[in-house]
Amino acid sequence: MAQAKRVVLASRPVGEPKPSDFRIEDYAPPTPGDGEVLLRTIWLSLDPYMRGRMSDGPSYATPVPVGGVMEGGTVSEVIASNNPGFAKGDIVLSRAGWQTHALSDGKGLGKIDPTLAPVSTAVGVLGMPGMTAYTGLLDIGKPRAGETVVVAAASGAVGSAVGQIAKIKGARAVGIAGGADKCSYVTGELGFDACVDYRAGDFPERLNAACPKGADVYFENVGGPVFDAVLPLFNPFARIPVCGLIAQYNATELSPGPNRLPLLMRNVLTKRLTIRGFIVTDFAARFPDFIRDMPQWIKDGRIKYREDIAEGLENAPQAFMGLLRGKNFGKQLVRIAE
């Protein structure tokens, strides 16, 4: 068997991750023992939450240890099996991380039916990002017909699904994205009612114009100046699912400028806002509903998706650093093997 490769955390980043924070290692592919399977990674999912795993500060999950394999969801092929539950050739959803091969005892593996959809969707629109959009919007945002739903990072894996689900539920969808190409995609391809470029010098004014009736739901993926622009638009009883804060993940200190907390808390009080952070696993019980609805919406053409593919494990660090800078266009994947 060919030599295996893995990407490990070489050092904890201070601020923005840099190439030296990662190390690519060669190793001999392991041999499965009793009850184990050997996995070969086909697709690696890159997601913003991974930045948090690189740090050792307080969080909802255990950080990757220095020298440990970078964490991540994968689509893998079973290439050897001593587990009666899996056969050679099975395609599975796994947490193999940033490596070409991995052992598993079968726990936590989920078989993927490659006839239903491209298998890459198992770590995209039909996987964690899609379910994050589905549960965050429907269980926390609870959009009603005629309301305005504002979505940050609207061209990304989660945001793109949020806006389309909002439209399915009869709401008006307003996206926020970086650059004219992404905004054109959000309105022209995904069907949002409007999309505003956060890089524009008059971004707050443009966002205000795109939301003439204010904002009833704001799906937060970004934080920072984007949230500052949305804050004045909240209607009474607006709901804010907080999924991510990518603008702040590399911060090493509090943002400069005036203290905005009093303004935020005054809005929370006077407008009776609901702000709730969440992790997709909070809503694990909703998976049957998600996997019933989302594939059908895709089949019906009501949900569309886009993938941004990097080739080869050695390019995963660069693709991930680009993701944190907003350089990806759609769900960021790395193709490890055919």
Side-chain angles (χ1 to χ4, degrees), residues 87-324:
K88 182 179 180 180
D90 283 348
I91 306 298
V92 297
L93 179 65
S94 63
R95 301 289 304 176
W98 296 28
Q99 54 187 343
T100 59
H101 297 78
L103 286 178
S104 171
D105 61 4
K107 295 177 182 177
L109 297 184
K111 292 184 181 180
I112 299 170
D113 184 349
T115 67
L116 293 180
V119 296
S120 60
T121 60
V123 287
V125 68
L126 293 181
M128 181 273 289
M131 188 169 167
T132 298
Y134 181 93
T135 57
L137 179 64
L138 299 183
D139 290 54
I140 302 174
K142 300 179 180 178
R144 306 180 187 98
E147 290 190 326
T148 297
V149 176
V150 179
V151 186
S155 68
V158 175
S160 60
V162 169
Q164 292 178 91
I165 296 171
K167 294 292 293 181
I168 290 171
K169 298 301 179 180
R172 184 169 183 271
V174 176
I176 299 170
D181 289 347
K182 289 183 178 180
C183 285
S184 295
Y185 168 74
V186 167
T187 54
E189 182 70 18
L190 302 182
F192 284 51
D193 296 280
C195 188
V196 184
D197 184 355
Y198 71 82
R199 297 173 181 170
D202 57 347
F203 165 61
E205 291 78 13
R206 292 190 185 192
L207 184 61
N208 181 68
C211 302
K213 296 183 179 180
D216 302 290
V217 179
Y218 172 54
F219 199 98
E220 176 64 289
N221 288 313
V222 175
V226 171
F227 181 82
D228 292 344
V230 179
L231 180 58
L233 305 179
F234 289 136
N235 290 325
F237 301 103
R239 288 83 67 197
I240 302 100
V242 181
C243 169
L245 298 167
I246 196 168
Q248 298 166 215
Y249 287 164
N250 291 326
T252 56
E253 58 186 15
L254 292 175
S255 301
N259 180 4
R260 301 175 182 86
L261 183 60
L263 174 64
L264 170 61
M265 295 308 294
R266 180 174 178 81
N267 274 269
V268 170
L269 173 62
T270 60
K271 294 184 177 180
R272 288 84 85 206
L273 304 179
T274 297
I275 303 176
R276 177 178 169 184
F278 75 102
I279 309 301
V280 65
T281 51
D282 296 343
F283 299 101
R286 290 276 273 145
F287 183 75
D289 299 319
F290 164 72
I291 209 64
R292 176 198 66 215
D293 291 340
M294 189 66 89
Q296 188 62 49
W297 289 338
I298 293 173
K299 182 180 178 181
D300 294 343
R302 305 178 81 184
I303 295 285
K304 300 176 181 178
Y305 65 93
R306 177 171 177 151
E307 296 173 336
D308 192 330
I309 299 171
E311 299 288 349
L313 182 64
E314 66 277 7
N315 290 314
Q318 197 64 44
F320 177 66
M321 291 184 287
L323 171 70
L324 295 178

